[in-house]
Amino acid sequence: MAGVIQTTVRRSMPAALLLRVRHRSPGLANGLVGGALAAGLGLAAFTVLVMLLWVSSPYPDSGPGGALHVAAALWLLAHGAELVRVDTLSGAPAPMGVPPLLLAVVPVWLLHRAARDTAEGGARDNAPLMPGRTAWAGVVLGYLAVAAPAALYAAGGALRPSWAWTALCVPLIALVAAGTGVWTAYGRPSGPLEQVLGAVLPRGARHLVLGPDGRPGVAARAAAAGATVLVAGGAVLLTVSLGWHLGETRRTFGRLTEGWSGWLAVLLLCVTLLPNAAVWAAAYALGPGFLLGAGVAVTPLGARAAPLLPPFPLMAAVPDPGAGTALHGTVVALPLTAGVVVGWFVGRGSVTGGGRFGVWTTGRTAGAAAFAAGLCGVLMALLAGLAGGPLGTAALARFGPVWWQVGLATAVWLGLTAAATALTVRAWRLRRSYRRGERRADRVVAPRRRPALPRPPQRERLPRGTWFKRKRGRSAPAPAPVAADEPYLLLDDDGDDDRAHGAPDGLRDFRDLRDGTDPFGLRPRPEPLDDLPTASPPAAPGDTEPRPPT
């Protein structure tokens, strides 16, 4: 027995488990690598930016380790996590929770790209995609596997992350951004959104939102256009106010720092906070305004004197304390313009967006405009909540707009304006089409109730609906038709019937030879027909006897 060589090697338990997971979840490793790479690239970008500022600073307060801790803390702040400053003058920790919206674009975009590339798997249009849930879970787990050590490392610096906010915001951003990436890879199907809305909305309001006439898509595009107009208009208001207070804006740079390196750092900080300031200006134009501390509101009707704040260039755009004037009241043109844009999108979609379902009725058009205004209010409330936060304690405990006030004001302003504009655009486009001599379009007649589907004859388990389904455009192309003059035709299923009946291979081959067919599946050439008489050759001019046929 000593000379026997063991040729079978049994795998250990961890190796067998890994092999089983890899076999059942193909592409999970790619998702883990993609998520970890996205987190690493985001941390590297923040590290390079902070290290450049630290190197160029003439009076650095800490060494390279402190700069690396700040970079990790800023990366967590870009996800919406709140930070805590421990080296304050009073000795009490002070929160800092105003995330720069421009920095938040970096992790969101990296997560989106990682999830989309993982789901596609580098495949072409005709190749199958990776399972959506596998790609989604892999990217999220890989991202969190890098975010957890980064949070632990940042906890040793001067800016420490709040564990409650970190545990909430970082996984939430990872789930949402990775989900949108997988959704994009699958061609943005409407199934996931319809399932979520069907589960959230009340039963009596589902037919108003999930109608078969294309209203959800039109309302979503109109809401996105309205939010874009509001934020862009807020940026214009911010630029005008900064130009009006140009002298004060210049003086604040000299008060904060000296030298070109300090001015560059302040300028970069202002650039990263520009989207926040644009959202603040949009909230000011909508009416609720924003807060410059606890109980200090700035609205078009008036502004209270703010407490002693550190000088900052963007703060120069804040209106002077006192009652509002007619010039301040002109900002209402911004929500009116946004409402007109939303109404124009809905009015155009009421005629052309229905597709084969025809033209919407006036009630459905007004309802779609109200729904678009509500969606825009949700978007603006989300932006307002992200653009503000605390910068300290006591008077500095609240900065920025109040999210629910901004969302409610957006829905009211845009709901009234968008409904009137949508009905006007609908009537104008229909009248134009009638003048051109087109046929009057049919109205939409949507069923009140969903038609009942026939139940299966037996109690069997029906297949579950999947969220991510492949688009038809990405499916494999149909086989090309065979030409009629093709001499041979490959029949791939000839042997399936014989195998089904249990015929042996040798008997099947001899049977094919006996029948005159090729065992390889080729169609035989047709035999010449001997029964038909052949034509005789033509007779010579002087020949009178008929010739036999050849």
Side-chain angles (χ1 to χ4, degrees):
M1 298 299 293
V4 177
I5 301 176
Q6 185 178 0
T7 58
T8 303
V9 180
R10 298 185 63 182
R11 294 187 178 91
S12 60
M13 183 62 67
L17 290 177
L18 290 177
L19 184 62
R20 184 178 301 177
V21 170
R22 183 177 180 182
H23 177 70
R24 293 186 177 181
S25 301
L28 183 61
N30 295 337
L32 293 173
V33 172
L37 183 61
L41 289 176
L43 281 170
F46 280 82
T47 301
V48 169
L49 178 62
V50 173
M51 292 301 292
L52 286 177
L53 295 177
W54 177 78
V55 169
S56 61
S57 176
Y59 307 105
D61 295 335
S62 59
L68 293 177
H69 283 89
V70 171
L74 288 180
W75 183 73
L76 295 175
L77 181 64
H79 292 78
E82 188 175 293
L83 303 180
V84 179
R85 291 186 294 114
V86 295
D87 56 345
T88 58
L89 297 177
S90 61
M96 187 180 69
V98 180
L101 295 181
L102 189 61
L103 295 182
V105 176
V106 177
V108 171
W109 182 76
L110 289 174
L111 274 167
H112 178 85
R113 284 296 303 269
R116 191 191 69 181
D117 296 344
T118 302
E120 291 178 350
R124 299 179 179 178
D125 294 340
N126 297 332
L129 295 177
M130 185 182 299
R133 296 177 182 177
T134 303
W136 191 14
V139 171
V140 171
L141 291 178
Y143 195 85
L144 296 181
V146 178
L152 292 175
Y153 180 78
L159 291 174
R160 300 178 181 178
S162 174
W163 293 113
W165 284 99
T166 303
L168 175 64
C169 295
V170 177
L172 182 61
I173 292 295
L175 288 172
V176 174
T180 56
V182 176
W183 184 56
T184 304
Y186 274 79
R188 300 181 182 90
S190 59
L193 297 180
E194 292 179 356
Q195 291 185 12
V196 171
L197 290 177
V200 172
L201 293 175
R203 195 168 194 179
R206 292 176 186 173
H207 69 281
L208 299 176
V209 179
L210 302 177
D213 47 9
R215 278 174 294 166
V218 173
R221 289 189 292 270
T228 303
V229 170
L230 287 174
V231 176
V236 172
L237 290 179
L238 175 65
T239 305
V240 171
S241 183
L242 287 176
W244 188 271
H245 303 87
L246 186 59
E248 186 177 355
T249 305
R250 290 179 178 177
R251 287 192 296 269
T252 54
F253 275 95
R255 295 178 187 176
L256 284 175
T257 182
E258 295 179 357
W260 66 270
S261 60
W263 294 339
L264 179 61
V266 174
L267 181 61
L268 287 177
L269 183 58
C270 292
V271 170
T272 56
L273 290 174
L274 277 178
N276 299 60
V279 174
W280 288 27
Y284 178 83
L286 287 169
F290 52 88
L291 299 177
L292 287 180
V296 181
V298 179
T299 64
L301 300 179
R304 295 178 55 185
L308 184 59
L309 299 175
F312 194 70
L314 294 180
M315 289 295 180
V318 177
D320 298 330
T325 61
L327 183 61
H328 296 145
T330 57
V331 295
V332 299
L334 178 58
L336 293 177
T337 304
V340 169
V341 171
V342 172
W344 183 80
F345 270 86
V346 174
R348 187 186 65 173
S350 65
V351 180
T352 61
R356 62 186 179 90
F357 293 97
V359 180
W360 302 348
T361 61
T362 56
R364 293 182 181 276
T365 304
F371 179 54
L375 285 180
C376 189
V378 172
L379 291 177
M380 291 304 299
L382 180 62
L383 291 176
L386 294 175
L391 287 179
T393 57
L396 303 178
R398 192 68 183 95
F399 269 79
V402 182
W403 64 272
W404 65 269
Q405 295 180 1
V406 174
L408 183 60
T410 303
V412 172
W413 273 105
L414 271 64
L416 298 176
T417 312
T421 306
L423 294 177
T424 304
V425 171
R426 175 185 176 277
W428 177 69
R429 292 180 70 92
L430 289 178
R431 186 177 180 183
R432 238 177 102 187
S433 62
Y434 298 160
R435 284 183 177 179
R436 290 198 301 262
E438 297 180 1
R439 184 179 63 86
R440 181 182 293 270
D442 299 331
R443 291 186 175 183
V444 179
V445 181
R448 291 293 182 180
R449 294 182 179 179
R450 183 176 296 178
L453 298 178
R455 295 184 178 181
Q458 300 178 356
R459 296 179 57 87
E460 58 182 4
R461 186 175 181 179
L462 298 178
R464 297 178 58 185
T466 57
W467 274 34
F468 300 104
K469 293 184 178 180
R470 192 72 175 275
K471 286 189 70 177
R472 293 185 177 180
R474 298 178 63 91
S475 60
V482 181
D485 56 350
E486 190 72 23
Y488 299 104
L489 178 63
L490 292 177
L491 303 177
D492 298 334
D493 298 331
D494 286 345
D496 294 343
D497 298 336
D498 294 329
R499 294 189 186 95
H501 293 290
D505 296 339
L507 180 59
R508 184 173 59 254
D509 296 341
F510 283 111
R511 185 185 306 167
D512 294 338
L513 293 175
R514 182 189 60 190
D515 297 340
T517 58
D518 196 342
F520 295 100
L522 299 179
R523 179 181 296 176
R525 296 183 180 181
E527 296 292 340
L529 300 178
D530 300 334
D531 299 337
L532 299 178
T534 57
S536 58
D543 195 357
T544 58
E545 298 182 358
R547 294 185 178 183
T550 58

